[in-house]
Amino acid sequence: MELIVLAIKDIFRRKGKSLYLLVAIVIPVAILSTILLTFDNADSSLSNLASKFGFTLIVQPKNVRVDRINQIGVNTEEYIPEGVVREIEKRVREIILNPKDRIITVVRFYKDEKVLAGKYEVSSVVAGVDFKSELEAKPSWTLTDGRWPTSDREAVLGGTYASSRKISLNDTVTINGSEFKVAGILQNYNSSEDYMVFAPFAEVQKLFDKTGFVSVINIQNVSLDKDKKLLQAAVEDINRNIPNITALSPQQFSTMKYTLLKKTLKFLLAIVVATVAVSIFSIFNIMTSVLYSRVKEIGLLKSVGASRSQLLTIFLSEYLTIGLIGGMIGYPLGLFMTYLLDSFLLKLGTGVRVNLLYVLVALLVGVFCSFAASSYPIYRLSRIKITESFRTQWEG
Amino acid sequence: MDNSNGTAFLELKNVNKTFNLSYGEVTALEHVSLTINKRELVALVGPSGSGKTTLLNIIGSLDRPSKGEVILEGTRIDTLSEEELVHFRREKFSFIFQDAKPLRMLNVLENTLLPFNFFKPKNRNGNIRNEGIEIIKSLGLGHRLYHMPSQLSGGEIQRVAIARALITHPAMILADEPTANLDRDNRLFVIETFRKLSKEKDIAIVLSTHDLEIANRADRIVHLKDGVFLKDEAIACPPCKV
Ligand SMILES: Nc1ncnc2c1ncn2[C@@H]1O[C@H](COP(=O)(O)OP(=O)(O)O)[C@@H](O)[C@H]1O
Ligand SMILES: [Mg+2]
């Protein structure tokens, strides 16, 4: 029989205590895995978003605060005067090397508003857009149903928006007292647009008495796309010279959107550290009592010829096995918790994916907890003399 | 001292043992000199606290004397390092403790073979497992080979300890109160088994007991009191005295 087999047999004999230890290890591992996986999801959701954007440069009002961006990630509170658009285009043109490169500018106007859609009024994000320039910038924008609006009184609905309210083509939605006919329904892109109502730009501005103002200016340009340094230069130039606006690369924009989430996750990470500490402490206590109850057993093993290193092998492999099992249970539990967190709270929409690196991290953390808690008592016990082990009234 | 029935296997020369405690020193053994021969069955007898366990520990190199020498087959062993002693003990000694239960997660056969989890048997031909089975059978536990310790009686547990002691072919077995918790039949079984083994397998056996009926079945009784020898008494015809 191998020493390891001896160790494993012992784990099964001590089912109750082993289980207790296992729980103490599984909990921090599961929480840690949840956080890592959610971080990961946020990251990929972020890069999805950036690549989905299709824009090179985004300009929005300067005082848009992260925590005031509404829940689907658009600013519906602060506006920029339309006149800024020309100035921005001018500056971009000066920075790019080839003046003949096309610059497509897409402006949008966003407003949070109760919209009568179907039977009920629902609070919605209304986007005023110029469908022509949008399509020019994003030829992949696709309708699953209907056509693009041809008149001022027609609207397009985000896929989720339409389906969740059971609105179909040619129904009407009433925005701020004006009726719009639903001309088309957008394909779902797993982005905030799935939840929006799109209507012609000038109409929406007028509806909300905001003619001459926009919420966001998006610029598309090939040479800036290709050259990150050039893009950065344009961003800096605009920020320096035009007051009251903030220019961002799509990456920066998305990052901003997730700053808050990341702050929350970092806070959770601190909790994990605390959980791990508590867990190590409680494992330490269990270990100590378990191990001290095993003093006679250690004396016996030594008396039949076990050397110190062999004893260490037995006991360490016993507790490392528990640590490994803890990691192996904690990780899937973390996956499940990530799934719950995402479905009910965060809605990052990236799905839950297994990350091999994190499997490794989970196993290591499990082993670490177990090791950190057991190595000292194990070390001390392995030094106990046979004569001591039988004299002392250790009981267990 | 009667050394006539064998050759000297182990010798203690003027051994003292003191323990340093917070409130002072405790002398457990004083000026103990003793020779143990091959094939000899020796009983250490004395009241509780008289130093029997301490003496057994020193004989078996589990503990070192404070003064004096321990000589095994001509080699002084009380000065060896702990590492050297581990190898020494594996080869020469087997221990039976009053309090050492077999490992609870192993069955009778596995407990018997336990020492070979830690070292390879030397100079053996034949299958170790089969030998283990033979030893267990010879101790009357043939029907218990694959039983777990929790299913055994006290007497059976002590036989497992004896089987485990025998599997390594020791030159000497040291047994601390091996009969203390047993009923009379089992006590007699243990001492008779020891008698037989010492003669048939050339094993020197030292046991401690405060049971004179048991002690009188040994070849020799060493009486201890307060860590000093009272007398060293050879029993001419051990079983006859019972
Ligand atoms: N490790 C030790 N530390 C302190 N005192 C000890 C130790 N071992 C034995 N003693 C003392 O030595 C004396 C002899 O003990 P022991 O050898 O156990 O006697 P016995 O086995 O005959 O009952 C006792 O007074 C005991 O308290
Ligand atoms: Mg004793």
Side-chain angles (χ1 to χ4, degrees):
Chain A
M1 221 180 329
E2 297 287 324
L3 296 183
I4 311 290
V5 178
L6 219 57
I8 292 184
K9 282 197 174 196
D10 205 57
I11 295 177
F12 282 102
R13 207 232 325 135
R14 290 164 203 275
K15 282 185 212 86
K17 290 241 168 77
S18 303
L19 211 66
Y20 198 53
L21 278 176
L22 209 56
V23 171
I25 293 168
V26 163
I27 291 171
V29 171
I31 298 179
L32 180 73
S33 304
T34 307
I35 288 174
L36 288 177
L37 289 163
T38 305
F39 257 121
D40 217 30
N41 284 354
D43 265 344
S44 70
S45 161
L46 190 147
S47 59
N48 270 358
L49 206 81
S51 66
K52 236 181 253 169
F53 240 81
F55 292 112
T56 316
L57 203 148
I58 298 147
V59 178
Q60 49 176 25
K62 186 164 208 151
N63 46 355
V64 172
R65 278 171 44 207
V66 179
D67 54 349
R68 284 180 52 198
I69 288 183
N70 77 357
Q71 55 167 357
I72 60 171
V74 292
N75 147 48
T76 56
E77 311 227 342
E78 309 286 341
Y79 298 94
I80 315 169
E82 238 170 339
V84 170
V85 175
R86 293 289 147 259
E87 209 180 326
I88 290 171
E89 284 177 341
K90 200 183 110 221
R91 293 202 167 271
V92 171
R93 185 154 314 283
E94 276 167 11
I95 281 179
I96 58 178
L97 303 175
N98 183 353
K100 284 196 197 118
D101 268 353
R102 271 187 46 156
I103 297 173
I104 303 172
T105 308
V106 177
V107 294
R108 279 188 176 189
F109 180 93
Y110 289 126
K111 181 79 182 158
D112 259 326
E113 186 64 27
K114 289 224 166 11
V115 170
L116 180 62
K119 281 185 193 160
Y120 308 103
E121 281 208 321
V122 280
S123 70
S124 317
V125 175
V126 179
V129 298
D130 173 34
F131 290 101
K132 213 173 124 242
S133 64
E134 295 269 350
L135 282 168
E136 207 179 341
K138 299 189 294 184
S140 63
W141 231 29
T142 313
L143 297 174
T144 54
D145 224 353
R147 53 172 176 75
W148 296 105
T150 49
S151 91
D152 285 348
R153 287 292 158 175
E154 286 178 335
V156 164
L157 303 184
T160 310
Y161 190 92
S163 62
S164 66
R165 273 132 208 153
K166 303 202 169 54
I167 306 171
S168 35
L169 282 187
N170 300 324
D171 287 350
T172 50
V173 292
T174 309
I175 308 169
N176 211 10
S178 302
E179 289 192 351
F180 289 78
K181 197 175 84 176
V182 177
I185 292 171
L186 265 181
Q187 184 188 320
N188 267 338
Y189 288 93
N190 242 340
S191 76
S192 55
E193 294 189 344
D194 304 348
Y195 305 91
M196 290 183 192
V197 177
F198 297 87
F201 182 71
E203 277 309 301
V204 178
Q205 271 184 326
K206 241 188 284 166
L207 266 183
F208 296 111
D209 212 10
K210 281 273 188 194
T211 305
F213 288 93
V214 301
S215 303
V216 61
I217 305 164
N218 297 314
I219 304 276
Q220 197 185 63
N221 175 265
V222 188
S223 34
L224 289 188
D225 262 342
K226 278 191 197 138
D227 188 339
K228 292 283 171 243
K229 277 202 187 123
L230 212 58
L231 173 61
Q232 201 47 46
V235 165
E236 278 163 20
D237 182 69
I238 292 167
N239 282 334
R240 196 166 32 217
N241 294 300
I242 307 179
N244 299 325
I245 52 111
T246 306
L248 300 157
S249 67
Q251 196 67 48
Q252 288 167 323
F253 177 78
S254 314
T255 309
M256 191 183 83
K257 196 186 142 190
Y258 282 109
T259 320
L260 207 64
L261 170 64
K262 292 216 160 179
K263 263 189 200 150
T264 319
L265 288 178
K266 275 190 186 134
F267 172 68
L268 287 178
L269 207 59
I271 294 182
V272 169
V273 173
T275 327
V276 168
V278 169
S279 145
I280 287 181
F281 181 73
S282 62
I283 301 171
F284 182 84
N285 282 330
I286 308 166
M287 289 292 186
T288 310
S289 81
V290 168
L291 282 164
Y292 278 73
S293 73
R294 300 178 69 174
V295 162
K296 285 204 171 110
E297 180 183 327
I298 291 169
L300 174 67
L301 292 177
K302 277 193 169 183
S303 78
V304 299
S307 67
R308 238 190 104 201
S309 67
Q310 286 172 323
L311 280 179
L312 288 176
T313 307
I314 293 180
F315 285 97
L316 283 179
S317 49
E318 202 170 315
Y319 293 110
L320 294 191
T321 305
I322 292 181
L324 272 181
I325 297 175
M328 281 174 348
I329 297 176
Y331 183 78
L333 196 64
L335 273 179
F336 182 63
M337 280 161 55
T338 308
Y339 168 76
L340 291 184
L341 198 65
D342 193 49
S343 327
F344 295 108
L345 218 66
L346 301 176
K347 303 195 187 214
L348 296 170
T350 44
V352 175
R353 287 148 307 153
V354 176
N355 181 325
L356 278 184
L357 180 69
Y358 296 161
V359 174
L360 204 71
V361 170
L363 294 181
L364 284 179
V365 168
V367 168
F368 171 79
C369 286
S370 190
F371 183 78
S374 61
S375 50
Y376 178 67
I378 287 177
Y379 165 82
R380 279 215 30 210
L381 283 172
S382 73
R383 294 180 65 98
I384 279 196
K385 286 206 220 147
I386 302 174
T387 53
E388 291 297 321
S389 70
F390 287 105
R391 253 183 71 80
T392 331
Q393 290 313 303
W394 317 87
E395 265 322 318
Chain B
M1 212 175 285
D2 184 359
N3 285 350
S4 59
N5 62 341
T7 36
F9 172 67
L10 185 133
E11 222 179 320
L12 299 193
K13 282 189 182 164
N14 221 352
V15 162
N16 272 42
K17 180 69 183 178
T18 52
F19 293 102
N20 291 315
L21 301 177
S22 50
Y23 50 85
E25 280 195 346
V26 175
T27 302
L29 293 175
E30 232 176 329
H31 302 299
V32 171
S33 293
L34 173 69
T35 304
I36 292 159
N37 301 308
K38 284 184 177 155
R39 315 182 70 220
E40 197 175 26
L41 176 60
V42 179
L44 300 180
V45 177
S48 185
S50 58
K52 303 184 293 294
T53 300
T54 307
L55 184 55
L56 279 171
N57 287 343
I58 288 177
I59 294 173
S61 76
L62 297 179
D63 211 345
R64 295 170 202 276
S66 310
K67 274 188 215 152
E69 297 177 9
V70 183
I71 295 157
L72 190 133
E73 294 177 321
T75 314
R76 193 163 167 193
I77 61 168
D78 58 287
T79 48
L80 295 180
S81 72
E82 189 50 42
E83 215 160 293
E84 289 168 307
L85 283 177
V86 168
H87 293 281
F88 214 85
R89 285 198 293 260
R90 284 175 179 176
E91 244 172 67
K92 300 289 181 189
F93 298 119
S94 284
F95 300 90
I96 296 171
F97 301 99
Q98 177 193 339
D99 227 11
K101 309 257 158 53
L103 290 188
R104 281 184 284 177
M105 71 277 196
L106 302 182
N107 64 30
V108 168
L109 180 57
E110 288 165 338
N111 261 297
T112 301
L113 299 176
L114 183 65
F116 297 136
N117 285 301
F118 304 107
F119 58 97
K120 293 266 162 293
K122 270 188 194 155
N123 313 324
R124 299 284 181 97
N125 29 30
N127 182 313
I128 288 294
R129 201 183 128 87
N130 290 340
E131 190 184 337
I133 294 175
E134 282 317 308
I135 291 175
I136 293 167
K137 280 184 179 163
S138 74
L139 292 167
L141 281 183
H143 58 303
R144 294 287 204 194
L145 280 172
Y146 303 108
H147 286 219
M148 302 308 279
S150 57
Q151 301 166 293
L152 304 180
S153 70
E156 288 172 325
I157 282 177
Q158 203 55 296
R159 292 179 209 199
V160 177
I162 297 173
R164 189 188 59 224
L166 290 176
I167 193 74
T168 57
H169 294 186
M172 183 177 230
I173 293 177
L174 298 160
D176 197 5
E177 314 228 12
T179 59
N181 295 326
L182 303 180
D183 58 32
R184 185 164 180 275
D185 283 351
N186 276 309
R187 286 202 295 271
L188 293 178
F189 177 86
V190 168
I191 191 70
E192 284 313 317
T193 304
F194 281 169
R195 277 198 69 75
K196 218 170 68 193
L197 289 170
S198 67
K199 308 304 173 253
E200 287 173 7
K201 306 226 156 149
D202 278 351
I203 307 176
I205 301 179
V206 183
L207 65 108
S208 70
T209 180
H210 33 239
D211 181 339
L212 277 177
E213 184 188 8
I214 297 302
N216 280 325
R217 289 168 180 260
D219 298 324
R220 205 172 127 204
I221 304 179
V222 172
H223 293 269
L224 276 177
K225 192 171 183 237
D226 297 334
V228 224
F229 274 5
L230 281 185
K231 71 180 164 178
D232 192 339
E233 158 191 23
I235 296 172
C237 166
C240 322
K241 210 181 156 179
V242 181

